[in-house]
Amino acid sequence: MGDPATTQNLESRLEGYRTELTGYCYRMLGSAFEAEDAVQDTMVRAWKSFEKFEGRSSLRSWLYRIATNVCLDMLNAGNRRARPMDLTAATPVARARLTARPEITWLEPVPDGRVLPAEADPADTTVERESIRLAFVAALQHLPPKQRAVLILREVLAWKAAEVAELLGTSVASVNSALQRARATLADYDPSESDPADPLDEEQQKLLERYVAAFEGYDMQALTALLREDATMSMPPYDLWLRGHDDIVGWMLGVGEVCRGSKLVATVANGSPAFAQYHPRQDGEGYEPWALIVLEVADGRIGAMDFFLDTKRWFPLFGLPERLSPEG
């Protein structure tokens, strides 16, 4: 390890697995920041113990074993992450109140580029993109940590049962049993599939263009036409969430009226279309960050709008500008 060429080669080999490991850890932990911490810890542990790596498994398998142990340690120390819909029933707009829940560990969005390898088989990419959707990662949080690892390794990453058993130090029968229980639990939370969005087809592109026009123009009739009848809207870190056209529009024309005059900048998050929402500054000098909006598109309409309001965390992570000029 003292040879600079050997050191550089090892660094390069380890670094080649960073993105896929971050995706794995994100699914396990539900947090972009914790996933990056877990992967960094994995890399440090691998670096320090590389001389003990005897090559009995592939380097990739060895790194996943380390990453799994790091994630299991982190999960044993804290609470599972949640979305507002995991905590309460939908609130009628007449009773809607913004109540922050600082004690809740919220599920976090993640930029696609941090967790999806740039070069991959299109079929694999579809599965991986679907499995970082907010609804799917939220459903994973209901699984015990080891069941969560089994399901991700088997169903998302297509590992064989024997490979997972070796990684976890258990039997194939135990892995198969854990997978069966995990599937049953996941079915209860029904993380229904969204429309494929990589790349966006012409109809999806038109849908998003109409969404931007409706939102920036604050045209609630046009916005309603784009939403499924059972569409949902949430606003972490508040526990409020709404379901249905009437309640969503009622909110947007009530407390949500503050969003009028906003500008949207397109991005992607969790395998889904997303927008950075910028709000007019009070001094009139352009626009300032207001929310990261992650959309779920299903059956050609918008099924969910999740507004993540902690822009000081999300906008730097997504590489979004700190402000927009008056021209937007």
Side-chain angles (χ1 to χ4, degrees):
M1 292 278 285
D3 178 14
T6 302
T7 298
Q8 187 174 9
N9 180 52
L10 176 57
E11 287 178 352
S12 177
R13 290 174 67 192
L14 294 178
E15 200 61 31
Y17 293 99
R18 182 176 291 275
T19 301
E20 65 172 282
L21 285 171
T22 305
Y24 174 61
C25 293
Y26 174 72
R27 295 177 184 94
M28 287 288 291
L29 302 170
S31 162
F33 296 103
E34 285 189 359
E36 293 193 347
D37 288 346
V39 172
Q40 191 57 35
D41 191 0
T42 297
M43 295 298 186
V44 170
R45 293 190 191 189
W47 176 264
K48 288 181 176 179
S49 59
F50 189 75
E51 290 180 354
K52 297 177 184 177
F53 173 56
E54 298 174 350
R56 285 183 298 212
S57 62
S58 69
L59 178 59
R60 181 172 183 256
S61 297
W62 185 62
L63 288 172
Y64 269 89
R65 181 182 296 116
I66 298 172
T68 300
N69 289 332
V70 170
C71 289
L72 293 177
D73 287 345
M74 293 173 74
L75 289 167
N76 287 334
N79 297 323
R80 69 176 176 87
R81 291 185 173 269
R83 302 173 81 193
M85 42 281 288
D86 295 324
L87 306 175
T88 64
T91 305
V93 70
R95 300 205 309 268
R97 300 288 184 275
L98 287 178
T99 305
R101 296 278 290 271
E103 80 280 7
I104 299 298
T105 310
W106 296 106
L107 182 68
E108 297 179 353
V110 69
D112 285 16
R114 299 285 182 115
V115 294
L116 296 176
E119 298 178 5
D121 180 276
D124 293 340
T125 300
T126 299
V127 173
E128 293 199 12
R129 187 174 297 277
E130 185 70 22
S131 68
I132 60 167
R133 285 176 47 242
L134 288 168
F136 187 84
V137 179
L140 287 175
Q141 304 303 300
H142 293 279
L143 300 177
K146 285 195 175 179
Q147 281 187 31
R148 199 179 307 178
V150 168
L151 185 127
I152 296 167
L153 290 166
R154 292 280 286 118
E155 302 275 87
V156 177
L157 301 177
W159 284 40
K160 297 176 181 177
E163 294 173 324
V164 178
E166 183 180 354
L167 182 146
L168 293 174
T170 187
S171 66
V172 169
S174 178
V175 166
N176 289 335
S177 175
L179 179 59
Q180 190 173 6
R181 294 196 304 274
R183 284 172 174 165
T185 300
L186 222 57
D188 290 339
Y189 293 96
D190 187 28
S192 54
E193 294 185 358
S194 63
D195 294 347
D198 182 33
L200 293 170
D201 64 29
E202 185 177 353
E203 288 301 313
Q204 290 170 327
Q205 194 63 54
K206 287 180 180 177
L207 175 71
L208 296 182
E209 289 170 1
R210 291 167 63 197
Y211 178 80
V212 171
F215 197 98
E216 291 187 347
Y218 227 66
D219 182 341
M220 292 299 110
Q221 185 174 354
L223 182 65
T224 298
L226 306 178
L227 300 178
R228 290 168 52 116
E229 288 189 12
D230 61 350
T232 63
M233 176 178 172
S234 71
M235 292 159 278
Y238 300 107
D239 61 6
L240 172 72
W241 68 283
L242 306 162
R243 185 192 295 278
H245 293 170
D246 292 346
D247 284 340
I248 290 174
V249 170
W251 176 266
M252 298 287 281
L253 293 177
V255 177
E257 182 80 21
V258 69
C259 290
R260 187 183 290 273
S262 294
K263 296 291 184 183
L264 300 185
V265 174
T267 183
V268 288
N270 293 82
S272 304
F275 293 94
Q277 178 190 353
Y278 290 85
H279 186 264
R281 288 170 56 93
Q282 289 187 338
D283 60 12
E285 295 297 319
Y287 301 81
E288 59 189 2
W290 189 260
L292 176 72
I293 309 172
V294 182
L295 303 181
E296 289 274 357
V297 178
D299 302 324
R301 292 199 174 189
I302 294 167
M305 299 185 291
D306 293 298
F307 290 71
F308 291 91
L309 302 179
D310 191 356
T311 57
K312 289 183 179 179
R313 283 167 67 81
W314 309 131
F315 277 43
L317 180 69
F318 281 77
L320 295 162
E322 294 181 5
R323 60 186 296 175
L324 296 183
S325 67
E327 295 76 29

